[in-house]
Structures are given as structure tokens and as C-alpha cells.
Amino acid sequence: MSSEDFVEEAGLYFERLGLSRTAGRVMGVLLLSDDDGMDLPELREELGAAKSSISVAVGRLAQAGLVERFRRPGARRDRYRLTRDVFGRAFRSKMAEFQRFQELAEHGLAVVGDDPRRRERLENMRDMYAFMAEGFPRLLAEWERTRQAPSHRP
């Protein structure tokens, strides 16, 4: 697989997760870049996308905490790179949705009343997201311990 193929695959993947395809492609490029990141003209050239499209994508990624903006001493342009804990941050933001899914299920349960056949899916949804909300913080804590262990290689 070429780097171009990977970037396109990342664009499609992150698009399915709710980002724009361009933002997903930016993620793909930055996943392959070094810690020095890239500036907007470099991203635009690498992706062959319009300046405004790249600016909007990078802005949304920065707002979501997935990308950070920085400037090298003496440089004239800002650069962008993935935040150090990009996937932990993304995972934590998704965890916040678990509560909203539980609330949605509760609203549905209030609508369907006592009919057991109509309640089953909604109860399953509520219970599954409650389970995930309880278990995922432990998984993240375990990941952090594992990542910080001397034997772990970044």
C-alpha cells in the first residue's frame, strides 16, 4: 500500500466516524508525518485540496483536540501535528456519547410504555451503553499504565 492509498483510506475511515473526508485525509497525512508536523501550504500540496478546505478541516481537528498548532522559533508559519494522546482524546470524547445514548434509550422506553416486545431493543441499547460507560474508563487507565511502562515502545 502506498502512502497515498493510506491517506485515502484514512479519509474514508474518519469520514465514517463523522469527520469530513478532507479532515480524515489530514489525519492520514499527519499520522505519517514526523513530529515536526506540516504547515497549511504543505498539507494543501500533499492533499491536492483547496486552501479553504484544508483550513476548515485543520480548524475543526484543532477544535476537537485532535491536532495542535505550534510554531517553531523564528518561523513565520504555524505548523500542525497530531496531539500526543490523539486517540485517547478521541476515545474520551466518544465516551461522553455513552450517556447520551442511555438517555435516548430512556426517552424511547418512556414512549413505548410497558410492551415487553417494544422495550427489548431500547433496554438492550441502554444497558449496553451503561456497560460501556462503566468499563471504558478502566480500559483507558490500563492503557495509560501499559503505555507508561518501561517495556512499552511508542
Side-chain angles (χ1 to χ4, degrees):
M1 172 181 280
S2 70
S3 61
E4 291 85 8
D5 291 337
F6 174 80
V7 168
E8 293 306 318
E9 183 180 5
L12 291 171
Y13 179 79
F14 286 109
E15 182 179 45
R16 285 191 299 267
L17 295 177
L19 295 175
S20 70
R21 187 174 300 184
T22 300
R25 293 174 70 220
V26 168
M27 290 287 292
V29 166
L30 292 177
L31 280 165
L32 298 177
S33 73
D34 59 27
D35 285 342
D36 197 33
M38 300 176 81
D39 63 23
L40 289 178
E42 290 169 335
L43 285 167
R44 190 173 67 246
E45 183 178 328
E46 180 72 26
L47 295 173
K51 181 180 180 178
S52 62
S53 179
I54 296 296
S55 293
V56 168
V58 168
R60 290 197 175 135
L61 291 169
Q63 186 177 24
L66 302 175
V67 167
E68 62 186 7
R69 182 175 63 171
F70 68 100
R71 187 175 292 192
R72 289 186 236 153
R76 297 175 66 184
R77 286 197 174 118
D78 289 334
R79 299 184 69 76
Y80 298 88
R81 64 183 166 214
L82 296 177
T83 57
R84 179 153 171 76
D85 187 27
V86 63
F87 296 105
R89 284 177 180 240
F91 196 73
R92 285 180 195 88
S93 73
K94 288 295 179 188
M95 284 173 38
E97 295 177 18
F98 296 163
Q99 180 63 36
R100 290 190 287 276
F101 274 110
Q102 290 175 64
E103 291 168 2
L104 179 63
E106 288 293 343
H107 294 161
L109 288 166
V111 170
V112 300
D114 293 333
D115 182 349
R117 292 178 307 139
R118 297 174 72 200
R119 293 180 65 83
E120 185 177 359
R121 275 190 306 251
L122 292 163
E123 287 171 345
N124 188 41
M125 176 181 168
R126 178 200 59 206
D127 296 347
M128 194 254 325
Y129 280 105
F131 175 81
M132 301 297 251
E134 184 179 319
F136 276 23
R138 287 193 306 266
L139 282 174
L140 275 175
E142 184 177 337
W143 165 244
E144 287 302 319
R145 284 191 304 275
T146 301
R147 201 175 106 206
Q148 294 172 5
S151 63
H152 179 74
R153 294 177 197 243

